[in-house]
Amino acid sequence: MPGTRGAVPLPVTTNSSQPRDLTKEILFLLDTKPQLHTADDFPDVSQAEIKAALDRLASRQMIQYDTKDAEKVILTGEGQMICDEGSHEFKVWDAVKRNGRIGIKDLPNEVGLESAKIGQGNAFKLKWIKKDGDALVLLANTVQDKTRESLQEVHDTQSLENAAALKDFTKRKLVKIAKVITYTVQKGPKYATEIPIEVTDLTADMLANGEWKTANFKPYNFQALGASQNAGALHPLNKVRVEFRQLFFNLGFVEMPTSRYVESGFWNFDALFVPQQHPARDMQDTFFISDPPSADPPRPDPDAEAAMDTMEAPSKRLFAPASAPASTSDPATTTAPTNTSSITPSSPQDTRDYTRYWNSTRAVHESGAFGSIGYRYPWSPAECLRLVLRTHTTAVSTWCLHRLASNPRPARYFSIDRVFRNETVDATHLAEFHQVEGVIADFGLTLGGLMRFLEEFFGNLGISGLRFKPAYNPYTEPSMEVFGWHAGLGKWVEIGNSGMFRPEMLEPMGLPPDLRVYGFGLSLERPTMIKYGVSNIRELLGHKVDLGFIETNAAVRLEKD
């Protein structure tokens, strides 16, 4: 009958020409006794074959079975040889005993090269033989070959009670530990000696002649896995990045354009009040560009301006002044209200003077300015204009804050992108990683407000009860390291860095002295590693990433455990 399924034989490879129907054998054997043990009743059948037959019968409720996992000790090829012939040291001792005295150079001819190499040292340790000139002589007339006896025990029982000996034999590759899975089988509620025919399709003929009323339909297996889909998958870092971006957007932040990986020393260091002698500017910590070796002095960047205008547009529409009531004129001919808060290099509101910014930055380093005594060193324009792979996205934050100086106002910016450090690669460090950074500018900000905001921010990530530790940063004062309790590790771990940008960084831009700026940041890799249980960062990013892990990893919710 089309659309039916009956007792399909499950062939098992045997030496005979006729294949075995393992499912029938199991059913007939259960007819003679209440339960069977696969290790005793089917010792010659592999675990995969017996499991396939049991699952076929269990899906029809014809049998029930329990699984038992155990470990057994198995002899390797060398271990079996020792079990049959004796240990290497015993062979050496026996050769010396038979000859009375044997030359060291002649020993490999007697016992073989491997036994001579291994057995000679072991026989010395056991004080069975000793060296007499260039020959070997006996020390013990009778010996007990405990290695062979222990391996014979393994051969007979597939186990070894002496744990120290088992560890030693495993290290010497004389034995190996194998996992053994066996099954205890008994009759199920629908047991029979034959697998009944099951109908898999409901046809028009069955409905017409009434066969469907008595047909034995095959039940659906809702536990069966569907066919794997060869579809694309987001990288875990991208999934966590999406969660961070959504969090920032919910808190009213505007994303900064971060597409420029190469920065000048001015934006990456000098504008942040990082002295030119700082260790972070050494070749041991920073990647410098050789071609071209230097950048132009700071100047307008139309591409970055256009990108920033696009990113700020939604917030400008949200906070724009209320427009006049809608008229009844044709919408197609109505002119949209002008957004007066837009700042571009060509607009009259753009008051940025890059030459003054350059000179003010130089002054605050070299001789001091804006109430600061500076670092008081000969500042080098050539060092300032060296091109580097950006070491932090704070270089982008600096550009955005300088842009904000044309229209000082409360603002919130964030960025999530790649940065580069000349680090030694290990399980927790790479030469490139992703930095999550946030900047808040407003009037009258205080350190307490920063701490309160960080508690709210990390609370949205599922991290509460923060601790703050004073720290040093060239461009923030005060500065704080942020610690959170890691339940899995059972200790406090650093989860971020924060601080208030220094006046030496902000006032050369043209920002008013009473406009203060919070800055905070953390890496994207650390929360991703914690969420996905990754202990080695090289398994998360780089050429060693397992594509199977990328394709099968679950979605992430930062506020959920």
Side-chain angles (χ1 to χ4, degrees):
M1 178 191 299
T4 62
R5 182 174 179 178
V8 182
L10 186 67
V12 177
T13 304
T14 62
N15 294 328
S16 64
S17 59
Q18 296 294 327
R20 295 168 57 182
D21 186 350
L22 194 54
T23 52
K24 282 189 175 182
E25 290 187 32
I26 294 172
L27 293 175
F28 285 130
L29 194 57
L30 278 177
D31 198 38
T32 63
K33 55 183 181 180
Q35 65 178 210
L36 60 86
H37 302 278
T38 57
D40 301 329
D41 296 305
F42 299 96
D44 58 334
V45 181
S46 69
Q47 185 267 337
E49 290 172 325
I50 196 71
K51 179 72 163 56
L54 294 177
D55 284 342
R56 176 168 294 182
L57 296 173
S59 66
R60 294 169 170 82
Q61 299 183 7
M62 299 181 72
I63 66 162
Q64 297 172 338
Y65 69 89
D66 295 319
T67 304
K68 181 180 180 182
D69 295 343
E71 289 183 345
K72 67 178 180 180
V73 186
I74 302 175
L75 294 176
T76 63
E78 184 182 358
Q80 185 63 53
M81 182 189 69
I82 292 175
C83 183
D84 297 336
E85 303 173 5
S87 64
H88 299 299
E89 55 269 24
F90 180 82
K91 291 180 180 179
V92 171
W93 175 85
D94 185 59
V96 174
K97 183 178 181 181
R98 282 187 282 103
N99 291 276
R101 179 186 180 90
I102 188 170
I104 296 177
K105 293 183 179 180
D106 299 326
L107 184 61
N109 298 328
E110 286 283 333
V111 300
L113 182 61
E114 185 177 11
S115 292
K117 182 180 178 181
I118 300 173
Q120 188 179 162
N122 289 341
F124 283 146
K125 291 179 183 179
L126 295 170
K127 297 184 179 180
W128 290 357
I129 61 172
K130 69 176 183 178
K131 189 176 180 182
D132 185 13
D134 58 353
L136 301 175
V137 297
L138 284 180
L139 274 180
N141 292 321
T142 60
V143 297
Q144 182 182 4
D145 192 354
K146 294 184 178 180
T147 300
R148 183 181 187 182
E149 293 174 358
S150 297
L151 292 178
Q152 285 175 337
E153 178 187 344
V154 172
H155 179 271
D156 296 337
T157 65
Q158 294 188 333
S159 62
L160 187 61
E161 294 184 1
N162 190 329
L166 178 60
K167 182 178 181 181
D168 179 56
F169 291 161
T170 304
K171 184 178 180 181
R172 292 168 58 184
K173 298 183 179 180
L174 300 179
V175 300
K176 59 183 179 180
I177 310 298
K179 183 178 181 181
V180 180
I181 302 176
T182 59
Y183 305 96
T184 302
V185 188
Q186 58 189 7
K187 296 177 182 179
K190 295 184 180 180
Y191 170 79
T193 56
E194 293 285 344
I195 299 179
I197 294 177
E198 295 177 324
V199 179
T200 58
D201 299 316
L202 179 62
T203 65
D205 291 340
M206 294 174 65
L207 292 173
N209 58 30
E211 286 185 7
W212 64 273
K213 297 179 181 178
T214 58
N216 180 31
F217 287 100
K218 183 179 184 295
Y220 281 104
N221 181 8
F222 293 102
Q223 304 301 320
L225 298 177
S228 60
Q229 302 297 314
N230 188 22
L234 288 176
H235 192 282
L237 282 173
N238 283 338
K239 293 186 176 184
V240 176
R241 181 177 181 271
V242 168
E243 286 291 309
F244 269 109
R245 290 182 79 238
Q246 192 58 49
L247 172 58
F248 277 114
F249 288 140
N250 291 342
L251 294 173
F253 282 74
V254 173
E255 191 166 16
M256 296 182 282
T258 56
S259 57
R260 190 170 56 230
Y261 289 168
V262 177
E263 290 281 5
S264 69
F266 177 84
W267 292 111
N268 199 78
F269 295 120
D270 292 81
L272 275 73
F273 198 54
V274 178
Q276 294 183 345
Q277 301 84 6
H278 196 278
R281 302 180 73 155
D282 294 340
M283 294 188 67
Q284 290 82 2
D285 296 304
T286 301
F287 292 108
F288 289 90
I289 306 300
S290 59
D291 186 19
S294 62
D296 294 336
R299 57 176 172 78
D301 187 343
D303 292 337
E305 294 287 349
M308 194 65 192
D309 281 338
T310 301
M311 291 176 170
E312 280 190 321
S315 65
K316 289 176 180 177
R317 288 194 298 268
L318 181 64
F319 296 107
S323 58
S327 66
T328 58
S329 60
D330 184 0
T333 61
T334 303
T335 304
T338 302
N339 191 341
T340 58
S341 62
S342 177
I343 299 174
T344 62
S346 59
S347 72
Q349 291 181 322
D350 187 3
T351 60
R352 282 172 287 179
D353 185 338
Y354 288 94
T355 301
R356 184 177 62 188
Y357 186 25
W358 169 274
N359 293 332
S360 297
T361 301
R362 176 173 189 161
V364 81
H365 279 258
E366 202 166 39
S367 57
F370 307 103
S372 171
I373 63 174
Y375 291 117
R376 291 173 290 178
Y377 69 92
W379 186 79
S380 168
E383 177 68 24
C384 175
L385 296 178
R386 293 181 70 184
L387 285 172
V388 299
L389 288 179
R390 67 182 181 206
T391 61
H392 48 193
T393 53
T394 315
V396 182
S397 303
T398 305
W399 179 87
C400 288
L401 290 173
H402 180 234
R403 183 175 183 273
L404 187 67
S406 291
N407 181 17
R409 65 191 187 280
R412 294 186 174 197
Y413 300 121
F414 83 93
S415 64
I416 306 173
D417 212 335
R418 191 169 297 188
V419 296
F420 307 87
R421 306 275 177 89
N422 195 358
E423 301 258 14
T424 301
V425 176
D426 57 26
T428 57
H429 296 86
L430 288 177
E432 55 181 292
F433 60 95
H434 295 78
Q435 181 175 344
V436 180
E437 179 166 339
V439 172
I440 300 176
D442 207 340
F443 297 94
L445 295 179
T446 64
L447 181 65
L450 173 60
M451 298 170 70
R452 178 66 186 89
F453 173 81
L454 292 175
E455 289 176 349
E456 178 184 354
F457 179 83
F458 285 103
N460 288 320
L461 304 181
I463 303 173
S464 58
L466 300 183
R467 287 183 177 178
F468 301 95
K469 176 183 176 182
Y472 168 75
N473 234 330
Y475 46 89
T476 58
E477 179 61 36
S479 305
M480 301 183 299
E481 293 174 348
V482 186
F483 290 81
W485 178 256
H486 192 299
L489 298 177
K491 64 178 183 180
W492 292 90
V493 296
E494 183 182 354
I495 56 175
N497 216 318
S498 65
M500 300 182 69
F501 286 128
R502 297 178 66 108
E504 293 96 330
M505 172 186 166
L506 300 178
E507 294 191 34
M509 299 176 181
L511 290 169
D514 56 343
L515 183 71
R516 299 175 183 176
V517 182
Y518 295 152
F520 61 95
L522 64 154
S523 77
L524 184 65
E525 281 75 7
R526 177 166 289 182
T528 305
M529 292 173 69
I530 293 174
K531 284 294 180 181
Y532 286 98
V534 177
S535 58
N536 190 331
I537 193 172
R538 289 168 289 193
E539 298 174 3
L540 185 67
L541 190 66
H543 65 284
K544 293 186 178 181
V545 173
D546 180 9
L547 292 180
F549 167 71
I550 301 299
E551 293 170 354
T552 58
N553 64 72
V556 66
R557 290 284 300 277
L558 293 175
E559 77 279 10
K560 303 291 184 182
D561 293 331

